Amino acid sequence: MTLERFRDVDGFLEKAGEVSERLRKLIDEDKPFLILCHNDADGLSSGAIASVMLLRENARFVTRSVKSIEGVLESLKDLPEEYSVILTDIGSGYLDELSSLGRKEPIIILDHHEPLGSASENVIQLNPHDYGINGADEISGAGVTYLAAKALNEENVRLSPIAVIGALGDLQDRADGRRLHGLNELIVGDAVENGLMKVEEDLLFYGRSYKPLHVALASTTNPFIVGISGNEAHAYSLLTSIGIRVKEDDRWRVLSELSEDEKKALYNGIMKYLASLGLPPSIAKELIGKVYELVREEPWTYLRDAREFASLLNACGKTGNEWLGIAIAMGSRGGLLDEAQRVLEEYRRKMAEAMEYAMKEENRQELNSVLVIDGGNIIDDRLISSVASMLASTGVQGEDKVLVALTQSEDSIKVSARAPKKLVDAGLNLGKVLSKAAQLVGGRGGGHDVAAGANIPKTKKALFLLEIDRIISEEVQGLEKR
Ligand SMILES: [Mn+2]
């Protein structure tokens, strides 16, 4: 976007107000709603926020999660005319398609993906990009939905932690020091001011307050530490080699009880370990950041740490348990939480297997500007975007290459790509690259500047990889000249 440096936060918030007025009118007229949310952690968070918002107003509504725009169009095909539609974390990329449906009642889009096409009068969009705000890392779909909900009813400020979870689910904690910034920071402020969240800096180990140190280290997969993530025995020996006591008498120690000096030693030890593998020590930096703690949740659950809450929702979305994720994000606990925790454990086990496969030399291919990881038909297509994120966090692609992970789904090849920070800062937009390369081979793609995906025909894998490598190489050369 050429106008990306104008930034109009007030205009965006004003638009949130306008959208909420439209919602208010529909609610007052007792119109039924269909909420369609994307099925990733951010999408489920936004679906939950929209659902609680309507529930609070006693509105009639149905919530459904969808994998892609095809799911949206399918759901709208037979939807009775009297329904208004709320799309969360999906839709902005398909304004023409949605407008051409010519529905009687409005389609309200609460999304942070880059808008494409033009909206008809009945397609109402709240999107940060329209106001020069970068939806890739400044606000999530859940954040956009939250701001509309808060404009509708101030009570919805209670949903602010769910909007933070959505942002973390979309890996928006990319500002220096693993923290949220931009409009996300404003939402964090809402949560803190209302006594719902505590923010502090720490090592970002998974289960920092309840898992034994070596288990917490081995469970940490963002960043994914080669040789340590997924391997408790190696994590244990690394800790002891650094000189960290893992036990206090008979009891396992947890990260949150380590002294500052011990944490420093641990951090330096991990840096040295990474250097010994020839990996950029900057990966260790990703281990330090803001912890967003949901203070009203029980300390021993996965819901206390907003990143872990997001990973629970992600697991629900990736395993066909979307409804469970939405229910938990809406506030259900008890038996449903037990079930969600089982889903998460199972998902983490499958991810560990997929990562083991992806880390093997023979499943990699190095092109000029792209590192390809081919999941063949071994890696479940629903896991491929998580595998891409996790692989990118290992640093295996280096600073100058785009990581492209792909795997076969039933009728197509699913692609998920991640661009290194250096190229994005120089101006590379991966979403556009994938959209272009996919189109050239009769597929479909898009996404954000750092993370994007595509679906391509099964027979076009080699051609697609050539095209994407060519486009990125050309773009990178262009960027260097600038
Ligand atoms: Mn999102």
Side-chain angles (χ1 to χ4, degrees):
M1 223 194 309
T2 44
L3 292 175
E4 68 190 10
R5 285 306 139 219
F6 94 97
R7 202 185 131 84
D8 181 11
V9 172
D10 290 340
F12 177 67
L13 295 174
E14 206 172 290
K15 179 73 178 181
E18 277 170 33
V19 169
S20 77
E21 274 163 31
R22 194 71 187 259
L23 278 167
R24 172 64 65 205
K25 196 156 163 280
L26 293 165
I27 293 166
D28 287 347
E29 287 167 2
D30 198 29
K31 291 274 164 59
F33 290 88
L34 172 66
I35 300 170
L36 294 176
C37 62
H38 191 212
N39 71 346
D40 66 7
D42 180 29
L44 299 181
S45 300
S46 30
I49 291 171
S51 302
V52 174
M53 167 183 86
L54 291 183
L55 200 60
R56 203 187 298 288
E57 309 299 331
N58 288 314
R60 291 185 286 149
F61 69 96
V62 182
T63 305
R64 196 178 295 160
S65 72
V66 290
K67 205 164 117 183
S68 60
I69 190 66
E70 283 75 20
V72 172
L73 298 175
E74 183 66 33
S75 297
L76 297 187
K77 220 167 57 191
D78 301 316
L79 185 71
E81 276 297 322
E82 75 259 29
Y83 273 80
S84 295
V85 178
I86 300 178
L87 298 182
T88 64
D89 193 35
I90 193 164
S92 285
Y94 308 91
L95 296 174
D96 289 335
E97 286 94 329
L98 293 166
S99 297
S100 72
L101 297 175
R103 288 194 63 83
K104 189 164 122 277
E105 300 298 336
I107 297 179
I108 297 174
I109 303 174
L110 307 172
D111 193 8
H112 68 134
H113 294 89
E114 261 190 58
L116 211 66
S118 51
S120 66
E121 209 182 310
N122 236 16
V123 173
I124 299 156
Q125 177 180 230
L126 179 62
N127 189 304
H129 291 278
D130 289 344
Y131 299 87
I133 301 164
N134 187 359
D137 60 4
E138 289 192 50
I139 188 164
S140 64
V144 173
T145 310
Y146 166 74
L147 291 177
K150 188 179 140 190
L152 182 74
N153 187 335
E154 188 61 34
E155 294 245 324
N156 289 322
V157 77
R158 284 186 221 161
L159 299 169
S160 49
I162 307 300
V164 173
I165 290 162
L168 292 168
D170 264 3
L171 310 179
Q172 297 197 320
D173 54 340
R174 276 186 250 123
D176 274 344
R178 291 287 303 271
R179 61 179 177 82
L180 295 169
H181 76 129
L183 284 174
N184 280 326
E185 218 168 4
L186 190 126
I187 300 171
V188 170
D190 278 357
V192 172
E193 270 166 40
N194 285 278
L196 303 167
M197 187 172 277
K198 196 171 82 188
V199 184
E200 60 185 28
E201 191 159 276
D202 201 355
L203 289 167
L204 301 178
F205 284 13
Y206 194 96
R208 59 193 270 278
S209 56
Y210 60 91
K211 284 194 179 190
L213 207 42
H214 63 291
V215 181
L217 178 54
S219 305
T220 302
T221 49
N222 184 17
F224 190 97
I225 307 166
V226 177
I228 301 291
S229 296
N231 192 325
E232 286 176 21
H234 285 182
Y236 186 96
S237 11
L238 180 66
L239 285 164
T240 47
S241 77
I242 296 168
I244 307 274
R245 275 184 303 116
V246 187
K247 271 187 166 181
E248 182 87 64
D249 301 325
D250 274 348
R251 187 182 60 81
W252 294 109
R253 298 175 77 205
V254 297
L255 178 74
S256 52
E257 65 189 285
L258 260 53
S259 71
E260 282 307 308
D261 284 346
E262 283 178 306
K263 282 180 186 170
K264 254 180 225 154
L266 178 49
Y267 177 74
N268 290 331
I270 293 171
M271 283 227 293
K272 271 188 203 140
Y273 168 79
L274 288 167
S276 76
L277 294 182
L279 287 166
S282 60
I283 291 168
K285 268 202 225 151
E286 299 291 310
L287 280 170
I288 300 181
K290 297 283 185 211
V291 179
Y292 299 93
E293 208 176 333
L294 276 64
V295 293
R296 305 255 174 112
E297 301 293 345
E298 302 291 357
W300 58 85
T301 66
Y302 296 117
L303 309 183
R304 178 87 177 189
D305 181 324
R307 282 189 184 82
E308 293 176 30
F309 199 138
S311 70
L312 180 107
L313 296 184
N314 178 53
C316 289
K318 294 282 152 63
T319 54
N321 292 286
E322 290 89 343
W323 65 276
L324 194 54
I326 294 174
I328 301 292
M330 286 179 72
S332 295
R333 298 292 180 265
L336 286 185
L337 180 56
D338 294 340
E339 196 171 337
Q341 308 219 38
R342 274 196 297 277
V343 166
L344 175 63
E345 295 298 349
E346 170 69 12
Y347 172 77
R348 286 179 66 87
R349 200 185 53 71
K350 275 197 188 153
M351 272 303 290
E353 280 171 18
M355 281 301 287
E356 208 181 304
Y357 182 85
M359 294 301 291
K360 284 187 184 143
E361 263 338 305
E362 67 258 35
N363 301 321
R364 281 189 210 165
Q365 187 188 349
E366 200 145 343
L367 307 177
N368 291 324
S369 304
V370 173
L371 178 69
V372 184
I373 310 279
D374 193 341
N377 49 11
I378 304 295
I379 297 181
D380 186 331
D381 65 307
R382 291 181 301 189
L383 302 188
I384 196 69
S385 90
S386 310
V387 168
S389 291
M390 223 173 252
L391 280 168
S393 78
T394 66
V396 66
Q397 74 283 15
E399 288 182 314
D400 304 301
K401 280 201 163 96
V402 167
L403 185 130
V404 173
L406 44 89
T407 194
Q408 287 191 26
S409 70
E410 226 167 86
D411 42 15
S412 64
I413 289 174
K414 203 170 161 190
V415 183
S416 189
R418 299 292 179 273
K421 194 173 176 319
K422 194 175 136 190
L423 294 185
V424 174
D425 287 347
L428 181 79
N429 186 322
L430 197 55
K432 288 187 180 151
V433 171
L434 257 79
S435 164
K436 205 159 143 193
Q439 257 172 32
L440 286 171
V441 300
R444 190 161 200 176
H448 300 295
D449 52 3
V450 288
N455 262 305
I456 55 165
K458 269 190 170 170
T459 52
K460 297 288 168 70
K461 181 165 86 182
L463 184 60
F464 173 79
L465 289 175
L466 279 175
E467 290 294 356
I468 194 170
D469 192 44
R470 179 185 61 79
I471 296 171
I472 293 172
S473 299
E474 279 173 16
E475 292 245 337
V476 169
Q477 276 169 14
L479 297 173
E480 276 161 4
K481 276 195 207 113
R482 252 193 353 202

